[in-house]
Amino acid sequence: MSFQVINKTNDLLIYDVANDNVNYYAKSGLVVNVLGGAVTLTSTNDDGASQIVMSTRYTDVTVPSSTSAYDLATKIYGYITTASPDGFSGGWADYEDVATTGTPINVTATPTVLTNDGTGVNTNTSYLPVGGNGVTQLWDTSSNGFDFSDLNVGDMVDIRMDITMIITSNNTAVDVDLYMGSGGSIVVPFISQQNFKSTGSFEVIRYMGIYIGSEDVRDNLAQLKVSADNNCTCTVHGWYIKAIRRGS
C-alpha cells in the first residue's frame, strides 16, 4: 500500500497509489493523529459524521517524505491548519556561519563550495513554512547545500548571499555560481567576473530569485561555489532563504 498526501490551497489531496484512487478533502474538516503507530486522517462533514480517510504507517507514504510517524503527522498537521486565500504561502530561514571566520576558504581557479555550518547566533529557522507546507529545512549544514526536497515543482526560492572576499592580488576577478540539479548541471550566476582592483577585504552581498523547475532541481542539493583568477580567500557570513509555495 502506498499513499501520497498533496497540499493544496484549501484542500488535501490523498492519492491511493496502490488502488489508483484520488480524493480531495476540505482542510477544515480534517484531523490527523497517530494511533498504534499508524498516521490516521479523519474527515468530518457538515452533518457531523466522520470517517477515516487514511490510516497507514509513515513508511507507506511516499509524499511527503518523513522519518517517523511523528514527523509525518506534524507535516500533515501543518498542511491542514494553514490555507492561503490567494493561493500562495511561504516562510524563511537565516543560516549564519562561524567556521570560516577562523578558517577562511581558499579560493582558486577551481570552483570551491561555500560552506555554512549554521551555528552562528543569528541563525533562525523559526519561520520556515512548516505550517501548511511541511518544510523542515532549506539548508543542509552537513552537506553544505540548499535542500529543496520538501518543496514542490513550481515553488520559488529567494537567496541572499553574504560573504567577504579577502583579496591579496590587484585586479582579481571573482565568480560565484549556484549549481543545481544532478551533478550541478544547472548553473545560476550570483557573481560574474567581479573585478577587485586592489587588495583588501570586501563584503559582497547578492540577492537572487530562482524557481524549482523540475524534480531534478528539487531532489538534489544545490551548492554555491566560488572561484577566482588569482588565489585569495573567502569568509561566509551566511544566507537568508525565502521559500514561496505556489498555490493550486
Side-chain angles (χ1 to χ4, degrees), residues 8-10 82-90 156 244-248:
K8 300 297 182 181
T9 304
N10 296 305
T82 301
S84 175
D86 61 2
F88 288 85
S89 60
M156 296 153 281
I244 305 169
R245 307 306 306 271
R246 179 178 177 271
S248 57

Side-chain angles (χ1 to χ4, degrees), residues 94-245:
D94 199 334
Y95 298 88
E96 182 183 31
D97 180 68
V98 170
T100 60
T101 300
T103 308
I105 298 167
N106 291 320
V107 181
T108 66
T110 301
T112 301
V113 173
L114 288 175
T115 59
N116 186 337
D117 59 19
T119 61
V121 295
N122 292 315
T123 291
N124 188 342
T125 59
S126 299
Y127 301 100
L128 284 165
V130 175
N133 296 283
V135 177
T136 57
Q137 67 173 5
L138 290 169
W139 175 255
D140 186 333
T141 56
S142 61
S143 299
N144 288 298
F146 295 99
D147 184 349
F148 304 139
S149 60
D150 287 333
L151 300 177
N152 296 324
V153 175
D155 290 344
M156 296 153 281
V157 177
D158 292 343
I159 300 170
R160 184 186 67 209
M161 176 194 72
D162 187 351
I163 63 176
T164 290
M165 298 300 306
I166 301 99
I167 304 299
T168 54
S169 299
N170 293 340
N171 295 312
T172 295
V174 173
D175 289 281
V176 176
D177 297 307
L178 179 67
Y179 291 78
M180 303 190 301
S182 178
S185 56
I186 301 170
V187 181
V188 177
F190 270 57
I191 301 174
S192 295
Q193 290 288 302
Q194 179 169 343
N195 185 49
F196 294 90
K197 295 182 178 180
S198 60
T199 61
S201 296
F202 303 91
E203 185 173 13
V204 180
I205 299 174
R206 291 291 186 276
Y207 194 92
M208 181 67 66
I210 61 173
Y211 58 88
I212 311 302
S214 66
E215 293 181 357
D216 180 51
V217 171
R218 181 194 64 195
D219 296 339
N220 289 279
L221 289 178
Q223 292 185 310
L224 283 167
K225 297 184 180 182
V226 59
S227 61
D229 60 356
N230 292 315
N231 291 350
C232 54
T233 57
C234 172
T235 61
V236 173
H237 302 293
W239 17 86
Y240 153 79
I241 314 165
K242 177 173 68 175
I244 305 169
R245 307 306 306 271

Side-chain angles (χ1 to χ4, degrees), residues 4-47:
Q4 293 184 8
V5 181
I6 310 298
N7 185 35
K8 300 297 182 181
T9 304
N10 296 305
D11 302 301
L12 210 62
L13 183 159
I14 299 178
Y15 177 28
D16 179 349
V17 179
N19 296 306
D20 201 22
N21 294 329
V22 175
N23 290 287
Y24 288 82
Y25 298 93
K27 292 180 181 180
S28 58
L30 287 173
V31 174
V32 62
N33 53 28
V34 178
L35 300 173
V39 178
T40 301
L41 264 172
T42 304
S43 176
T44 302
N45 61 27
D46 294 337
D47 298 327

